[in-house]
Amino acid sequence: MSYPKPSGRSLLARHLTPEVWRLLNDKETRYGVRLAHVVASGLANPDSSVGVYAGDEESYTLFAPLFDPIIADYHGFGPEDRHQSDLEVARLNAPNPDPEGRYVVSTRIRVARNLCCFPFGSALTRRERRIVEATVVRALEDLPGELAGSYHPLYEMDETTKERLIHDHFLFKEGDRFLEAAGLNRDWPDARGIFHNPGKTFLVWVNEEDQLRIISMEPAADLQRVFARLARALAELERRLAFAHSERLGYLTSCPSNLGTAMRASVHVRLPGLAADEARLTALAAAHGLQVRGTHGEHSASEGAVYDVSNKRRLGITEVEAVRELANGVAALIAAEERA
Ligand code: ADP
Ligand code: DAR
């Protein structure tokens, strides 16, 4: 395959030079992942922001001449940097940014994980994806106390239930064109599903963009309690499953934007005053290290002036620091809303 010059302004377009292509194009990981696989989504979607997906853990080292500049660009994380995780609730000290409940509708903290010793989602065979599902579900069905729940395979779910769960922000949307071009939607809906406790405050997505999306969520803005539930769940799951992880990059994920903590901590916050100037809202959020999404997450618009506001940085920051950064940033947005 000759050098496929990427168009657009993605990090792929910026860093897939002819030299990098010549250097890496004939290499293959032990799971058979090649460079063409890694760059497929960004080549097919010139409007990508990142444009690459790792096919396995080894992609991050074998294709480092492409991934390292992308990681440095997105996270400000250099080749000599080392990620540190910190899930110690006692060190969080994140004040509730909206104790009277006037602005924050709900809080959600999620982390991505992939099992070690398997390819990632874009390179799994149907058989491997079913083994991942069975392995993960066996661990989930063994969880104690508040984390106990049940698994609901997508392929056994009626459309009404699926649409209700998506509408209510509990279930992932069917894969978008970026995931499609990466091969992450292959064999859909086979071996995909959602685990949740009766109250839907603890949920796990199985085999979406990553093999696990582990989620703690509830109404209002008690970030401390949402984080504590997630930390308990991760401690239980780390005893039952081995996750793809590297000393340098932390938890390894399909998309490099999720590396490190692999955490996105978000609030749904109603900001009718700031909604009048979304560019200003986005700039104000960015000044506090926060990202703004629509009411239904990535690639969606805001409804009723409700915005999904979350930490942008995932790598080179600890989980505790990311959640504290969100708490402080949301408090600043609420103060600006009260002045708007
Ligand atoms: P992810 O956060 O898993 O990377 P998305 O941005 O697509 O992916 O969000 C997934 C789902 O989580 C969407 O339905 C979104 O509305 C929902 N969501 C995100 N943050 C919150 C929140 N604070 N409260 C309720 N739902 C949320
Ligand atoms: N849409 C892809 C991925 C961007 C980051 N979001 C993820 N990983 N869900 C892009 O390159 O724009």
Side-chain angles (χ1 to χ4, degrees), residues 4-59:
K5 180 167 175 41
S7 56
R9 296 185 300 172
S10 65
L11 296 178
L12 170 71
R14 189 178 305 168
H15 298 292
L16 183 64
T17 63
E19 296 70 31
V20 167
W21 179 262
R22 258 196 304 279
L23 183 65
L24 301 177
N25 175 38
D26 59 352
K27 297 185 183 301
E28 184 171 302
T29 70
R30 64 195 292 261
Y31 289 133
V33 174
R34 298 177 69 91
L35 184 61
H37 176 108
V38 167
V39 305
S41 184
L43 294 181
N45 298 283
D47 59 336
S48 293
S49 56
V50 177
V52 295
Y53 289 91
D56 54 16
E57 300 177 54
E58 190 185 353
S59 296

Side-chain angles (χ1 to χ4, degrees), residues 105-110 165-173 205 208-209 213 215 217-218 258 264-268 293-300 308-309 314:
V105 177
S106 53
T107 297
R108 172 182 184 266
I109 307 178
R110 68 87 168 145
L165 286 170
I166 292 172
H167 177 269
D168 292 348
H169 310 290
F170 295 123
L171 180 61
F172 46 79
K173 300 179 281 266
W205 295 353
E208 192 237 4
E209 179 176 331
R213 289 290 176 92
I215 302 161
M217 64 193 289
E218 63 183 54
N258 277 313
R264 189 167 90 85
S266 64
V267 296
H268 272 180
R293 298 183 180 186
T295 310
H296 285 276
E298 192 170 35
H299 309 313
S300 76
D308 167 335
V309 175
R314 312 216 199 297

Side-chain angles (χ1 to χ4, degrees), residues 63 70 87 125 152 182 193 245 249 258 267 293 328:
F63 304 121
I70 287 176
L87 281 154
T125 64
H152 307 273
H245 182 273
L249 295 173
N258 277 313
V267 296
R293 298 183 180 186
N328 295 335

